[in-house]
């Protein structure tokens, strides 16, 4: 399934408006779509594990504001100043901001992760983790994001970090030949290997904890690289311009081409907000895994995200426009962090984006810091 959006004309963001008109979607209607209001808080009902982000955030936004560095990032919806953030006292807490930018096997990779306001206002840890690697045979890049469940505030970020690291370790052994033959099987094997490694670690080091204490959603994306000594055009033709992705839960993958986004996985199904029914580690990762090919023909960049950012990309025209303009060329860590500083009514979750651009370095016109 492929979901498409077209970027509309750039509009000046305003804190007093609900954002610009929606760009033409698959139907090409271009109808105006209002930004959704805050999702109601949810309670445990036995249907799944709830990643709860309290509705108290909405009222907490009425607190006293604090000084922030200026940014052109948009603000959509009726927003009040945020109070000063609270640091977590958890020894397992993650830094509130993480960012990277650099070359890996001739491809520029940039990433940023910001702790969501739902955590900052309550002094709990963000739970998003990203990792990346190149396969040992040089056949591809691997991008991984994990999102620990908020219903396990003291331990889920540990599970997300372990899972991301073990998945990258397993994915480094992927070969281009096997990916050309059975990509779905290969990625499911990577998930199974990473899942088993986390469970062994838990049993050996974290014995009081259960699988659900370390629960995290995940997306893994493998992207082809030309073989050493092989021309760019030859390498692209060899892999038929296709990457491959697998996920458990609601993380997602997007491609960006001339301001248009496509997603190989659908948006989370309609229903209560923040209900997660699939996560790792678990007894049977193959049962909860979803696979999708990633079409790369004409693509400028591939973006792997956790659900806090994926939801905004699916639902907000102004966020899509803003991020398309920021990511139109490769950028460094500072620009990546600033790109995620937009504010949107109801958007309180952690935001993580891990991106690689298609053009090799000698084709990049300029690099933003």
């Amino acid at each position: 399934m492929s979901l498409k959006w077209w970027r509309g004309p750039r509009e000046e963001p305003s804190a007093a408006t609900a954002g610009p008109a929606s760009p033409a979607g698959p139907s090409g209607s271009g109808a105006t779509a209002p930004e959704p209001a805050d999702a109601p808080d949810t309670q445990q009902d036995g249907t799944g594990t709830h990643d709860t982000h309290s509705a108290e955030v909405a009222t907490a936004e009425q607190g006293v504001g604090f000084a922030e560095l200026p940014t052109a990032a948009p603000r959509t919806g009726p927003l009040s100043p945020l109070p000063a953030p609270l640091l977590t006292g958890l020894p397992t807490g993650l830094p509130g901001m993480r960012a990277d930018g650099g070359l890996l096997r001739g491809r520029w990779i940039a990433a940023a992760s910001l702790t969501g306001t739902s955590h900052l206002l309550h002094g709990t840890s963000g739970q998003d983790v990203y990792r990346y690697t190149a396969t040992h045979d040089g056949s591809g890049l691997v991008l991984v994001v994990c999102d620990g469940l908020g219903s396990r505030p003291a331990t889920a970020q540990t599970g997300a970090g372990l899972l991301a690291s073990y998945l990258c370790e397993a994915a480094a052994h992927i070969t281009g030949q096997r990916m050309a033959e059975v990509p779905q099987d290969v990625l499911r094997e990577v998930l199974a290997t990473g899942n088993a490694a986390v469970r062994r670690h838990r049993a050996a080091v974290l014995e009081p904890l259960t699988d659900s204490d370390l629960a995290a959603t995940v997306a893994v994306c493998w992207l082809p690289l030309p073989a050493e000594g092989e021309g760019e055009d030859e390498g692209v033709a060899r892999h038929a311009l296709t990457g491959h992705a697998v996920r458990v839960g609601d993380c997602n993958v997007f491609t960006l081409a001339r301001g248009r986004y496509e997603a190989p996985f659908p948006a989370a199904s309609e229903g209560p907000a923040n209900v997660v029914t699939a996560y790792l580690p678990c007894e049977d990762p193959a049962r909860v895994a979803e696979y999708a090919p990633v079409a790369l023909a004409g693509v400028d960049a591939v973006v792997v995200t956790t659900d806090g950012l994926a939801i905004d990309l699916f639902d907000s025209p102004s966020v899509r426009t803003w991020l398309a303009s920021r990511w139109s060329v490769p950028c460094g860590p500072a620009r990546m962090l600033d790109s995620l500083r937009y504010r949107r009514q109801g958007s309180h979750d952690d935001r993580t984006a891990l991106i690689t651009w298609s053009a090799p370095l000698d084709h990049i016109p300029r690099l933003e810091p």
Side-chain angles (χ1 to χ4, degrees):
M1 178 178 179
S2 178
L3 302 178
K4 303 180 181 180
W5 307 277
W6 293 89
R7 185 176 73 182
R10 180 71 172 169
E11 295 186 26
E12 287 295 323
S14 170
T17 64
S22 171
S27 64
S29 63
T32 300
E35 299 290 351
D38 291 7
D41 194 18
T42 57
Q43 303 295 328
Q44 187 75 29
D45 61 4
T47 60
T49 299
H50 291 239
D51 189 8
T52 302
H53 297 280
S54 174
E56 294 174 6
V57 173
T59 57
E61 286 187 348
Q62 299 173 6
V64 178
F66 61 98
E68 292 187 82
L69 292 175
T71 178
R75 299 185 177 211
T76 60
L79 300 168
S80 302
L82 288 170
L86 300 176
L87 294 176
T88 178
L90 289 172
T92 57
L94 296 175
M97 293 182 288
R98 286 139 280 157
D100 280 290
L103 284 169
L104 183 61
R105 298 285 180 143
R107 284 291 188 272
W108 189 266
I109 292 177
S113 186
L114 292 182
T115 295
T117 55
S118 59
H119 294 295
L120 294 175
L121 294 176
H122 295 94
T124 56
S125 173
Q127 294 163 319
D128 282 5
V129 176
Y130 64 81
R131 295 285 189 273
Y132 45 82
T133 191
T135 60
H136 295 324
D137 70 348
S139 64
L141 296 178
V142 179
L143 308 180
V144 178
V145 298
C146 292
D147 181 4
L149 269 61
S151 55
R152 304 291 189 273
T155 54
Q157 58 274 12
T158 301
L162 288 171
L163 182 61
S165 296
Y166 281 127
L167 286 172
C168 271
E169 182 179 330
H173 297 281
I174 291 174
T175 65
Q177 180 177 352
R178 287 209 69 210
M179 287 300 290
E181 296 170 353
V182 284
Q184 183 170 347
D185 292 347
V186 172
L187 290 183
R188 290 180 185 271
E189 289 170 8
V190 167
L191 280 187
T193 301
N195 181 77
V198 173
R199 301 187 84 196
R200 287 195 301 270
H201 186 108
R202 175 184 59 77
V205 182
L206 305 170
E207 188 175 6
L209 301 183
T210 65
D211 282 351
S212 63
D213 289 326
L214 301 178
T217 60
V218 60
V220 179
C221 185
W222 178 91
L223 301 170
L225 290 173
E228 188 174 349
E230 187 176 45
E232 184 71 20
D233 293 339
E234 295 172 321
V236 166
R238 177 168 59 89
H239 290 288
L241 289 170
T242 303
H244 304 277
V246 66
R247 74 171 181 176
V248 174
D250 50 10
C251 296
N252 219 314
V253 178
F254 296 86
T255 57
L256 180 60
R258 297 176 180 85
R260 184 182 68 183
Y261 298 87
E262 295 189 15
F265 298 110
S269 59
E270 295 183 2
N274 300 318
V275 176
V276 177
T277 58
Y279 57 81
L280 297 180
C282 68
E283 290 283 349
D284 185 8
R287 181 181 61 83
V288 293
E290 298 176 74
Y291 163 81
V294 182
L296 300 176
V299 164
D300 300 319
V302 177
V303 185
V304 187
T305 76
T306 54
D307 69 309
L309 183 58
I311 289 171
D312 289 344
L313 282 170
F314 276 115
D315 292 347
S316 174
S318 59
V319 170
R320 292 198 294 271
T321 298
W322 162 252
L323 293 179
S325 68
R326 299 297 285 177
W327 298 340
S328 59
V329 294
C331 54
R335 185 177 174 92
M336 279 296 298
L337 281 171
D338 187 62
S339 69
L340 301 185
R341 289 180 62 200
Y342 64 87
R343 285 188 62 199
R344 174 179 174 245
Q345 184 184 14
S347 179
H348 307 306
D349 200 358
D350 301 335
R351 297 171 184 165
T352 296
L354 177 56
I355 309 177
T356 187
W357 283 264
S358 300
L361 187 62
D362 56 358
H363 292 171
I364 295 174
R366 59 191 174 92
L367 180 64
E368 296 291 346

